Amino acid sequence: MTLTREIVSKNINGSISGLGRALNVNWEFGYEEGQIITLENEESWSDGGMFTVCNDFPVSYQLFIENEVPCHIVDYTNENELKSIGAEDCEDEKECLIPAGTKLRVLQGEQEIDLQEMGYYTIYLEYIEEEN
């Protein structure tokens, strides 16, 4: 079986609070307090790593998950894993993968003052556990 980004993301090996993510996009998402977001794809987050967004789209976001979220903490000693997720030579990113289907609640949505003063939106989220 070929190792894929999706398979790696579902191999939960940790639970971390304070994960962050930087995005540049072409439009505002319209995040509002209380909104529930379900991740459509596995996503890369970090717990303090160095990451540079590699596009110059006009709208910037800094997203943070305040509570612990189950994730896959990337093993930078596992060459097969690194190749499958495209993370070779990216140890400084301290990448964690969150699988598709994960639910997050917006604690603080878009605030115009953030955009005016800092040039980006700061969005705070919390992980919502699935009820069995």
Side-chain angles (χ1 to χ4, degrees), residues 27-41:
W27 61 87
E28 294 178 356
F29 287 136
Y31 289 121
E32 295 180 5
E33 185 177 326
Q35 177 182 1
I36 305 297
I37 299 164
T38 302
L39 302 185
E40 294 179 16
N41 300 297

Side-chain angles (χ1 to χ4, degrees), residues 12-20 45-48 65-74 94-98 127:
I12 304 300
N13 63 0
S15 189
I16 300 178
S17 62
L19 288 179
W45 291 71
S46 180
D47 66 338
I65 304 173
E66 292 194 339
N67 60 340
E68 285 192 0
V69 59
C71 59
H72 177 83
I73 302 165
V74 172
K94 295 180 67 180
E95 187 172 354
C96 301
L97 292 174
I98 299 176
Y127 166 68

Side-chain angles (χ1 to χ4, degrees), residues 89-119:
D89 300 319
C90 296
E91 295 83 7
D92 291 345
E93 291 182 5
K94 295 180 67 180
E95 187 172 354
C96 301
L97 292 174
I98 299 176
T102 299
K103 294 188 183 312
L104 304 170
R105 177 182 293 117
V106 177
L107 299 175
Q108 176 186 303
E110 294 173 13
Q111 298 185 10
E112 193 63 32
I113 191 78
D114 283 355
L115 191 59
Q116 292 169 359
E117 291 187 358
M118 299 181 294

